[in-house]
Amino acid sequence: MADFRSVVAAINEKLDGLDRHLETIEQRKPLSATIEVVELEKTVPQLKNEDQEALSSDLDIGHLPEMKGENILHTVIQVAAKLGVTLEERDIVFVERVGSADRVGKEKRARRVVVRLARRQLRYDLLSAARVRRTLSSTQLDIVAPTQRIYLNERLTRANRQLFHQVREECRRLQWRFSWTKRVRIYARQGDGKQVYPIRSEADVKRVFGPNLV
């Protein structure tokens, strides 16, 4: 009987030890999960910044009329010339339309043009010139198409492009006058002389424009 009690006591002691070990694990799990979340919160913005940095020499050109059989490289060089910036073919790493080709046509909106330049300074020069000469339109190019103002912007990653779209929609809803990007940062301002708000995330959108988003 004494031996049996000794065995039972030993088993109970082991079970108690397992219970204590499980409690320790349960206590450690939330801490481990919290640490993992914190690390992810640090890593995700870093990865987004790296993705955006990869586009640091890229431009988006919007509302540039799209014609069948066009020479888009020549057209981009012509756009630069109208802005007072000299571009040569060697200055352009690649240029292409992006979007579905079935949008091409007389009644369809032209696909945007993505340009990668050989140097960041060229992008800066073109963006600066476009801000000064805001009246560049399709009529100034050798293109037979309805008149449209042509826009040059920094090329954003998909995530930043969606965020910028959300900011523009909120500005329209609340009748804010200004939303723009500069050095791939998104900004908004209600009007002249008002505070400038940097927008880095959807949380910033809610903070600046309120919780009732469109």
Short mmCIF file of all heavy atoms in Angstrom, two decimals, residues 34-92:
data_model
loop_
_atom_site.label_atom_id
_atom_site.label_comp_id
_atom_site.label_asym_id
_atom_site.label_seq_id
_atom_site.Cartn_x
_atom_site.Cartn_y
_atom_site.Cartn_z
N THR A 34 2.10 39.29 -28.71
CA THR A 34 2.26 40.75 -28.70
C THR A 34 3.58 41.16 -29.33
O THR A 34 3.64 42.10 -30.13
CB THR A 34 2.20 41.27 -27.25
OG1 THR A 34 0.94 40.91 -26.68
CG2 THR A 34 2.37 42.78 -27.22
N ILE A 35 4.64 40.43 -28.97
CA ILE A 35 5.95 40.72 -29.55
C ILE A 35 5.92 40.55 -31.06
O ILE A 35 6.45 41.36 -31.81
CB ILE A 35 7.03 39.82 -28.92
CG1 ILE A 35 7.22 40.18 -27.44
CG2 ILE A 35 8.35 39.94 -29.68
CD1 ILE A 35 8.13 39.24 -26.69
N GLU A 36 5.25 39.47 -31.50
CA GLU A 36 5.17 39.20 -32.94
C GLU A 36 4.41 40.32 -33.66
O GLU A 36 4.81 40.75 -34.74
CB GLU A 36 4.48 37.86 -33.18
CG GLU A 36 4.51 37.42 -34.63
CD GLU A 36 3.97 36.01 -34.81
OE1 GLU A 36 3.75 35.33 -33.80
OE2 GLU A 36 3.77 35.62 -35.97
N VAL A 37 3.31 40.77 -33.07
CA VAL A 37 2.53 41.86 -33.67
C VAL A 37 3.36 43.13 -33.76
O VAL A 37 3.36 43.83 -34.77
CB VAL A 37 1.24 42.11 -32.87
CG1 VAL A 37 0.58 43.41 -33.32
CG2 VAL A 37 0.28 40.94 -33.03
N VAL A 38 4.08 43.43 -32.68
CA VAL A 38 4.92 44.63 -32.67
C VAL A 38 5.98 44.55 -33.76
O VAL A 38 6.23 45.53 -34.47
CB VAL A 38 5.59 44.80 -31.28
CG1 VAL A 38 6.65 45.90 -31.34
CG2 VAL A 38 4.54 45.14 -30.24
N GLU A 39 6.59 43.37 -33.90
CA GLU A 39 7.60 43.20 -34.94
C GLU A 39 7.00 43.36 -36.33
O GLU A 39 7.61 43.96 -37.22
CB GLU A 39 8.26 41.81 -34.81
CG GLU A 39 9.14 41.67 -33.58
CD GLU A 39 10.28 42.67 -33.56
OE1 GLU A 39 10.87 42.91 -34.63
OE2 GLU A 39 10.56 43.22 -32.49
N LEU A 40 5.79 42.81 -36.52
CA LEU A 40 5.12 42.96 -37.82
C LEU A 40 4.79 44.42 -38.10
O LEU A 40 4.91 44.89 -39.23
CB LEU A 40 3.84 42.12 -37.85
CG LEU A 40 4.03 40.61 -38.04
CD1 LEU A 40 2.70 39.89 -37.88
CD2 LEU A 40 4.62 40.31 -39.42
N GLU A 41 4.35 45.13 -37.07
CA GLU A 41 4.02 46.55 -37.24
C GLU A 41 5.25 47.35 -37.65
O GLU A 41 5.14 48.35 -38.35
CB GLU A 41 3.42 47.11 -35.95
CG GLU A 41 2.00 46.62 -35.68
CD GLU A 41 1.46 47.12 -34.35
OE1 GLU A 41 2.27 47.59 -33.52
OE2 GLU A 41 0.24 47.03 -34.15
N LYS A 42 6.41 46.90 -37.21
CA LYS A 42 7.65 47.57 -37.61
C LYS A 42 8.06 47.16 -39.03
O LYS A 42 8.58 47.97 -39.79
CB LYS A 42 8.78 47.22 -36.63
CG LYS A 42 8.61 47.78 -35.24
CD LYS A 42 9.77 47.35 -34.36
CE LYS A 42 9.63 47.89 -32.94
NZ LYS A 42 10.74 47.43 -32.07
N THR A 43 7.82 45.88 -39.36
CA THR A 43 8.31 45.34 -40.62
C THR A 43 7.47 45.79 -41.81
O THR A 43 8.01 46.13 -42.87
CB THR A 43 8.33 43.80 -40.57
OG1 THR A 43 9.15 43.38 -39.49
CG2 THR A 43 8.86 43.22 -41.87
N VAL A 44 6.14 45.81 -41.66
CA VAL A 44 5.26 46.13 -42.79
C VAL A 44 5.54 47.52 -43.36
O VAL A 44 5.72 47.67 -44.57
CB VAL A 44 3.77 45.98 -42.39
CG1 VAL A 44 2.86 46.55 -43.47
CG2 VAL A 44 3.44 44.51 -42.15
N PRO A 45 5.59 48.58 -42.53
CA PRO A 45 5.93 49.90 -43.10
C PRO A 45 7.30 49.92 -43.77
O PRO A 45 7.48 50.59 -44.79
CB PRO A 45 5.90 50.83 -41.88
CG PRO A 45 5.03 50.13 -40.89
CD PRO A 45 5.30 48.68 -41.10
N GLN A 46 8.24 49.17 -43.20
CA GLN A 46 9.58 49.12 -43.80
C GLN A 46 9.52 48.50 -45.19
O GLN A 46 10.14 49.00 -46.14
CB GLN A 46 10.51 48.31 -42.90
CG GLN A 46 11.95 48.22 -43.44
CD GLN A 46 12.85 47.40 -42.53
OE1 GLN A 46 12.48 47.09 -41.40
NE2 GLN A 46 14.02 47.06 -43.02
N LEU A 47 8.75 47.41 -45.34
CA LEU A 47 8.61 46.77 -46.65
C LEU A 47 7.90 47.69 -47.63
O LEU A 47 8.26 47.76 -48.80
CB LEU A 47 7.84 45.46 -46.50
CG LEU A 47 8.56 44.33 -45.76
CD1 LEU A 47 7.63 43.13 -45.59
CD2 LEU A 47 9.82 43.91 -46.52
N LYS A 48 6.89 48.41 -47.15
CA LYS A 48 6.18 49.35 -48.02
C LYS A 48 7.11 50.46 -48.50
O LYS A 48 7.07 50.87 -49.66
CB LYS A 48 4.98 49.95 -47.28
CG LYS A 48 3.82 48.99 -47.09
CD LYS A 48 2.65 49.67 -46.42
CE LYS A 48 1.46 48.72 -46.30
NZ LYS A 48 0.30 49.37 -45.65
N ASN A 49 7.95 50.94 -47.59
CA ASN A 49 8.91 51.98 -47.96
C ASN A 49 9.91 51.46 -48.99
O ASN A 49 10.29 52.18 -49.92
CB ASN A 49 9.65 52.49 -46.73
CG ASN A 49 8.77 53.32 -45.82
OD1 ASN A 49 7.76 53.88 -46.26
ND2 ASN A 49 9.13 53.41 -44.55
N GLU A 50 10.33 50.21 -48.82
CA GLU A 50 11.26 49.62 -49.78
C GLU A 50 10.61 49.46 -51.15
O GLU A 50 11.24 49.71 -52.18
CB GLU A 50 11.75 48.26 -49.26
CG GLU A 50 12.68 48.38 -48.06
CD GLU A 50 13.06 47.02 -47.48
OE1 GLU A 50 12.57 46.00 -48.02
OE2 GLU A 50 13.84 46.98 -46.51
N ASP A 51 9.33 49.06 -51.16
CA ASP A 51 8.61 48.94 -52.43
C ASP A 51 8.50 50.29 -53.12
O ASP A 51 8.68 50.41 -54.33
CB ASP A 51 7.20 48.38 -52.19
CG ASP A 51 7.22 46.90 -51.83
OD1 ASP A 51 8.27 46.26 -52.06
OD2 ASP A 51 6.21 46.40 -51.33
N GLN A 52 8.20 51.33 -52.32
CA GLN A 52 8.07 52.66 -52.90
C GLN A 52 9.42 53.19 -53.37
O GLN A 52 9.52 53.86 -54.40
CB GLN A 52 7.46 53.61 -51.87
CG GLN A 52 7.12 54.98 -52.43
CD GLN A 52 6.09 54.93 -53.54
OE1 GLN A 52 4.93 54.62 -53.31
NE2 GLN A 52 6.52 55.22 -54.75
N GLU A 53 10.47 52.87 -52.63
CA GLU A 53 11.81 53.32 -53.00
C GLU A 53 12.22 52.75 -54.36
O GLU A 53 12.93 53.40 -55.13
CB GLU A 53 12.81 52.89 -51.92
CG GLU A 53 14.24 53.35 -52.16
CD GLU A 53 14.42 54.85 -52.05
OE1 GLU A 53 13.55 55.52 -51.46
OE2 GLU A 53 15.44 55.36 -52.57
N ALA A 54 11.73 51.55 -54.67
CA ALA A 54 12.05 50.93 -55.96
C ALA A 54 11.46 51.71 -57.13
O ALA A 54 11.89 51.53 -58.27
CB ALA A 54 11.56 49.49 -55.98
N LEU A 55 10.48 52.58 -56.85
CA LEU A 55 9.84 53.38 -57.90
C LEU A 55 10.32 54.83 -57.89
O LEU A 55 9.66 55.70 -58.45
CB LEU A 55 8.31 53.35 -57.71
CG LEU A 55 7.66 51.97 -57.63
CD1 LEU A 55 6.15 52.11 -57.44
CD2 LEU A 55 7.96 51.14 -58.87
N SER A 56 11.45 55.07 -57.27
CA SER A 56 11.90 56.45 -57.04
C SER A 56 12.29 57.19 -58.31
O SER A 56 12.48 58.41 -58.28
CB SER A 56 13.08 56.46 -56.06
OG SER A 56 14.16 55.70 -56.58
N SER A 57 12.43 56.48 -59.42
CA SER A 57 12.75 57.15 -60.70
C SER A 57 11.59 57.05 -61.68
O SER A 57 11.76 57.33 -62.87
CB SER A 57 14.00 56.52 -61.32
OG SER A 57 15.13 56.70 -60.50
N ASP A 58 10.41 56.70 -61.18
CA ASP A 58 9.26 56.45 -62.06
C ASP A 58 8.27 57.60 -62.05
O ASP A 58 8.10 58.29 -61.04
CB ASP A 58 8.53 55.17 -61.63
CG ASP A 58 9.35 53.92 -61.89
OD1 ASP A 58 10.57 54.05 -62.13
OD2 ASP A 58 8.79 52.83 -61.84
N LEU A 59 7.58 57.74 -63.17
CA LEU A 59 6.52 58.74 -63.34
C LEU A 59 5.24 58.07 -63.79
O LEU A 59 5.27 57.06 -64.50
CB LEU A 59 6.91 59.77 -64.41
CG LEU A 59 7.80 60.94 -64.05
CD1 LEU A 59 8.10 61.74 -65.31
CD2 LEU A 59 7.16 61.84 -63.01
N ASP A 60 4.12 58.66 -63.41
CA ASP A 60 2.81 58.32 -63.97
C ASP A 60 2.36 59.51 -64.82
O ASP A 60 2.40 60.65 -64.35
CB ASP A 60 1.78 58.10 -62.86
CG ASP A 60 1.58 56.63 -62.55
OD1 ASP A 60 2.03 55.79 -63.35
OD2 ASP A 60 0.96 56.32 -61.52
N ILE A 61 1.93 59.24 -66.03
CA ILE A 61 1.37 60.29 -66.88
C ILE A 61 -0.08 59.94 -67.15
O ILE A 61 -0.39 58.87 -67.68
CB ILE A 61 2.14 60.44 -68.20
CG1 ILE A 61 3.62 60.71 -67.92
CG2 ILE A 61 1.54 61.57 -69.04
CD1 ILE A 61 4.47 60.85 -69.18
N GLY A 62 -0.97 60.83 -66.76
CA GLY A 62 -2.39 60.57 -66.91
C GLY A 62 -3.04 61.46 -67.94
O GLY A 62 -2.59 62.58 -68.21
N HIS A 63 -4.12 60.95 -68.56
CA HIS A 63 -4.92 61.67 -69.55
C HIS A 63 -4.15 61.94 -70.84
O HIS A 63 -4.49 62.87 -71.58
CB HIS A 63 -5.46 62.99 -68.98
CG HIS A 63 -6.41 62.81 -67.85
ND1 HIS A 63 -7.05 63.87 -67.24
CD2 HIS A 63 -6.84 61.70 -67.20
CE1 HIS A 63 -7.83 63.42 -66.27
NE2 HIS A 63 -7.71 62.09 -66.23
N LEU A 64 -3.11 61.16 -71.09
CA LEU A 64 -2.38 61.28 -72.35
C LEU A 64 -3.13 60.46 -73.40
O LEU A 64 -3.24 59.24 -73.27
CB LEU A 64 -0.95 60.75 -72.19
CG LEU A 64 -0.01 60.93 -73.38
CD1 LEU A 64 0.19 62.41 -73.70
CD2 LEU A 64 1.34 60.27 -73.09
N PRO A 65 -3.71 61.11 -74.43
CA PRO A 65 -4.54 60.40 -75.40
C PRO A 65 -3.84 59.17 -75.97
O PRO A 65 -2.64 59.20 -76.25
CB PRO A 65 -4.79 61.45 -76.49
CG PRO A 65 -4.70 62.75 -75.77
CD PRO A 65 -3.63 62.55 -74.73
N GLU A 66 -4.60 58.10 -76.11
CA GLU A 66 -4.06 56.83 -76.58
C GLU A 66 -4.55 56.56 -78.00
O GLU A 66 -5.75 56.55 -78.25
CB GLU A 66 -4.50 55.70 -75.64
CG GLU A 66 -3.93 54.35 -75.98
CD GLU A 66 -4.19 53.32 -74.89
OE1 GLU A 66 -4.82 53.68 -73.87
OE2 GLU A 66 -3.75 52.17 -75.06
N MET A 67 -3.59 56.35 -78.88
CA MET A 67 -3.92 56.14 -80.29
C MET A 67 -3.39 54.78 -80.73
O MET A 67 -2.33 54.32 -80.28
CB MET A 67 -3.31 57.25 -81.16
CG MET A 67 -3.60 58.66 -80.67
SD MET A 67 -5.36 59.07 -80.61
CE MET A 67 -5.73 59.08 -82.36
N LYS A 68 -4.10 54.16 -81.64
CA LYS A 68 -3.67 52.87 -82.17
C LYS A 68 -2.36 53.05 -82.94
O LYS A 68 -2.22 53.95 -83.76
CB LYS A 68 -4.75 52.30 -83.10
CG LYS A 68 -4.46 50.88 -83.57
CD LYS A 68 -5.61 50.33 -84.39
CE LYS A 68 -5.32 48.90 -84.84
NZ LYS A 68 -6.45 48.34 -85.64
N GLY A 69 -1.39 52.18 -82.66
CA GLY A 69 -0.10 52.24 -83.34
C GLY A 69 0.78 53.39 -82.89
O GLY A 69 1.74 53.75 -83.58
N GLU A 70 0.51 53.95 -81.72
CA GLU A 70 1.27 55.09 -81.24
C GLU A 70 2.71 54.72 -80.91
O GLU A 70 3.02 53.57 -80.59
CB GLU A 70 0.61 55.67 -79.98
CG GLU A 70 0.66 54.73 -78.79
CD GLU A 70 -0.08 55.26 -77.57
OE1 GLU A 70 -0.59 56.39 -77.62
OE2 GLU A 70 -0.16 54.52 -76.57
N ASN A 71 3.60 55.71 -80.97
CA ASN A 71 4.98 55.57 -80.51
C ASN A 71 5.05 56.29 -79.17
O ASN A 71 5.32 57.48 -79.10
CB ASN A 71 5.95 56.18 -81.52
CG ASN A 71 7.41 55.97 -81.12
OD1 ASN A 71 7.73 55.75 -79.95
ND2 ASN A 71 8.30 56.04 -82.10
N ILE A 72 4.78 55.55 -78.10
CA ILE A 72 4.64 56.17 -76.79
C ILE A 72 5.96 56.77 -76.30
O ILE A 72 5.97 57.77 -75.58
CB ILE A 72 4.06 55.16 -75.77
CG1 ILE A 72 3.62 55.89 -74.50
CG2 ILE A 72 5.06 54.06 -75.47
CD1 ILE A 72 2.51 56.87 -74.70
N LEU A 73 7.08 56.18 -76.69
CA LEU A 73 8.39 56.72 -76.32
C LEU A 73 8.55 58.12 -76.91
O LEU A 73 8.95 59.07 -76.20
CB LEU A 73 9.50 55.80 -76.81
CG LEU A 73 10.94 56.29 -76.59
CD1 LEU A 73 11.24 56.43 -75.11
CD2 LEU A 73 11.94 55.33 -77.25
N HIS A 74 8.24 58.27 -78.18
CA HIS A 74 8.33 59.58 -78.84
C HIS A 74 7.38 60.58 -78.17
O HIS A 74 7.74 61.75 -77.98
CB HIS A 74 7.99 59.44 -80.32
CG HIS A 74 7.83 60.75 -81.03
ND1 HIS A 74 8.90 61.54 -81.39
CD2 HIS A 74 6.71 61.43 -81.42
CE1 HIS A 74 8.46 62.65 -81.97
NE2 HIS A 74 7.14 62.60 -82.01
N THR A 75 6.18 60.12 -77.81
CA THR A 75 5.20 61.03 -77.20
C THR A 75 5.68 61.53 -75.85
O THR A 75 5.52 62.71 -75.52
CB THR A 75 3.84 60.31 -77.04
OG1 THR A 75 3.41 59.82 -78.31
CG2 THR A 75 2.79 61.26 -76.49
N VAL A 76 6.29 60.66 -75.05
CA VAL A 76 6.80 61.08 -73.74
C VAL A 76 7.93 62.10 -73.90
O VAL A 76 7.99 63.09 -73.16
CB VAL A 76 7.29 59.85 -72.94
CG1 VAL A 76 8.07 60.28 -71.70
CG2 VAL A 76 6.10 58.99 -72.53
N ILE A 77 8.80 61.89 -74.87
CA ILE A 77 9.87 62.86 -75.13
C ILE A 77 9.28 64.20 -75.55
O ILE A 77 9.76 65.27 -75.15
CB ILE A 77 10.83 62.31 -76.22
CG1 ILE A 77 11.61 61.12 -75.66
CG2 ILE A 77 11.78 63.40 -76.70
CD1 ILE A 77 12.48 60.41 -76.69
N GLN A 78 8.19 64.14 -76.31
CA GLN A 78 7.51 65.37 -76.74
C GLN A 78 6.86 66.08 -75.55
O GLN A 78 6.91 67.31 -75.45
CB GLN A 78 6.46 65.02 -77.79
CG GLN A 78 5.85 66.24 -78.48
CD GLN A 78 4.82 65.85 -79.51
OE1 GLN A 78 4.31 64.73 -79.50
NE2 GLN A 78 4.49 66.77 -80.39
N VAL A 79 6.26 65.32 -74.66
CA VAL A 79 5.66 65.91 -73.45
C VAL A 79 6.74 66.64 -72.64
O VAL A 79 6.54 67.77 -72.18
CB VAL A 79 5.00 64.81 -72.59
CG1 VAL A 79 4.67 65.34 -71.20
CG2 VAL A 79 3.74 64.30 -73.27
N ALA A 80 7.89 65.99 -72.47
CA ALA A 80 8.99 66.61 -71.73
C ALA A 80 9.43 67.91 -72.39
O ALA A 80 9.67 68.92 -71.72
CB ALA A 80 10.16 65.64 -71.62
N ALA A 81 9.53 67.90 -73.72
CA ALA A 81 9.95 69.10 -74.45
C ALA A 81 8.97 70.24 -74.24
O ALA A 81 9.37 71.41 -74.07
CB ALA A 81 10.09 68.78 -75.94
N LYS A 82 7.67 69.94 -74.22
CA LYS A 82 6.66 70.98 -74.00
C LYS A 82 6.77 71.56 -72.59
O LYS A 82 6.36 72.69 -72.34
CB LYS A 82 5.26 70.40 -74.21
CG LYS A 82 4.97 69.99 -75.65
CD LYS A 82 5.03 71.18 -76.60
CE LYS A 82 4.70 70.75 -78.03
NZ LYS A 82 4.78 71.90 -78.98
N LEU A 83 7.34 70.78 -71.67
CA LEU A 83 7.54 71.26 -70.31
C LEU A 83 8.89 71.96 -70.14
O LEU A 83 9.22 72.42 -69.05
CB LEU A 83 7.44 70.09 -69.32
CG LEU A 83 6.06 69.46 -69.17
CD1 LEU A 83 6.14 68.20 -68.32
CD2 LEU A 83 5.07 70.44 -68.55
N GLY A 84 9.67 71.99 -71.21
CA GLY A 84 10.96 72.65 -71.15
C GLY A 84 12.09 71.77 -70.64
O GLY A 84 13.14 72.26 -70.24
N VAL A 85 11.87 70.46 -70.65
CA VAL A 85 12.89 69.50 -70.18
C VAL A 85 13.33 68.65 -71.37
O VAL A 85 12.50 68.08 -72.08
CB VAL A 85 12.34 68.59 -69.06
CG1 VAL A 85 13.40 67.58 -68.63
CG2 VAL A 85 11.88 69.43 -67.87
N THR A 86 14.64 68.56 -71.57
CA THR A 86 15.17 67.77 -72.68
C THR A 86 15.35 66.32 -72.25
O THR A 86 16.06 66.03 -71.30
CB THR A 86 16.52 68.33 -73.16
OG1 THR A 86 16.35 69.69 -73.58
CG2 THR A 86 17.07 67.51 -74.30
N LEU A 87 14.67 65.43 -72.97
CA LEU A 87 14.82 64.00 -72.74
C LEU A 87 15.31 63.35 -74.02
O LEU A 87 14.84 63.69 -75.11
CB LEU A 87 13.48 63.37 -72.35
CG LEU A 87 13.04 63.33 -70.89
CD1 LEU A 87 11.79 62.47 -70.75
CD2 LEU A 87 14.13 62.81 -69.97
N GLU A 88 16.22 62.40 -73.87
CA GLU A 88 16.65 61.58 -75.00
C GLU A 88 16.23 60.14 -74.74
O GLU A 88 15.90 59.78 -73.61
CB GLU A 88 18.17 61.69 -75.17
CG GLU A 88 18.65 63.11 -75.45
CD GLU A 88 20.17 63.18 -75.61
OE1 GLU A 88 20.81 62.10 -75.61
OE2 GLU A 88 20.69 64.30 -75.72
N GLU A 89 16.26 59.34 -75.78
CA GLU A 89 15.83 57.94 -75.63
C GLU A 89 16.64 57.22 -74.56
O GLU A 89 16.10 56.40 -73.81
CB GLU A 89 15.95 57.21 -76.97
CG GLU A 89 14.91 57.64 -77.99
CD GLU A 89 14.90 56.72 -79.21
OE1 GLU A 89 15.48 55.61 -79.12
OE2 GLU A 89 14.33 57.12 -80.24
N ARG A 90 17.92 57.54 -74.45
CA ARG A 90 18.77 56.86 -73.46
C ARG A 90 18.39 57.25 -72.03
O ARG A 90 18.81 56.57 -71.07
CB ARG A 90 20.23 57.20 -73.72
CG ARG A 90 20.56 58.68 -73.54
CD ARG A 90 22.00 58.98 -73.88
NE ARG A 90 22.31 60.40 -73.73
CZ ARG A 90 23.50 60.93 -74.00
NH1 ARG A 90 24.48 60.15 -74.46
NH2 ARG A 90 23.71 62.22 -73.83
N ASP A 91 17.62 58.33 -71.86
CA ASP A 91 17.19 58.76 -70.52
C ASP A 91 15.99 57.96 -70.02
O ASP A 91 15.62 58.07 -68.85
CB ASP A 91 16.81 60.24 -70.53
CG ASP A 91 18.00 61.14 -70.82
OD1 ASP A 91 19.10 60.82 -70.33
OD2 ASP A 91 17.83 62.15 -71.52
N ILE A 92 15.39 57.17 -70.90
CA ILE A 92 14.18 56.42 -70.55
C ILE A 92 14.51 54.93 -70.50
O ILE A 92 14.88 54.32 -71.50
CB ILE A 92 13.05 56.69 -71.57
CG1 ILE A 92 12.70 58.19 -71.56
CG2 ILE A 92 11.83 55.84 -71.24
CD1 ILE A 92 11.67 58.58 -72.60
#
